[in-house]
Amino acid sequence: SSGYSFPIIANSKPDDLISFAAKYTVSVKRSFTTSVGINYQDKFDLYPNGVIPLSRGVSFPLYPFLQPKETEAIIKVLSHLPQ
């Protein structure tokens, strides 16, 4: 399977970013859905630096066999991310 290796922390809601990327046929997914920290998001006061990446982290595809057309679509999405 193709890997997702380019994570970012979104300034907007991750679901909005995922649907925006889908318009350009770029498959984006949430980054830390299987992380152990996902169970502690309600502990913001204990982990203030960890909650934001857990809740807003998304990953873009990044692997050696991307076609130039796919790479251009990813660049377009990254350069026009919703704020």
Side-chain angles (χ1 to χ4, degrees), residues 25-59:
T25 65
V26 175
S27 176
V28 176
K29 69 174 194 166
R30 295 190 71 136
S31 295
F32 304 109
T33 56
T34 59
S35 169
V36 71
I38 206 78
N39 299 323
Y40 299 100
Q41 286 185 321
D42 59 337
K43 309 272 188 195
F44 184 76
D45 55 328
L46 296 175
Y47 308 104
N49 295 325
V51 172
I52 292 172
L54 284 171
S55 62
R56 295 192 297 169
V58 294
S59 294

Side-chain angles (χ1 to χ4, degrees), residues 4 12 20 22 33 49 62-63:
Y4 290 85
S12 60
F20 175 75
T33 56
N49 295 325
L62 182 66
Y63 48 92

Side-chain angles (χ1 to χ4, degrees), residues 62-75:
L62 182 66
Y63 48 92
F65 302 110
L66 282 171
Q67 300 297 318
K69 191 174 189 177
E70 295 169 321
T71 304
E72 290 173 15
I74 293 169
I75 292 168

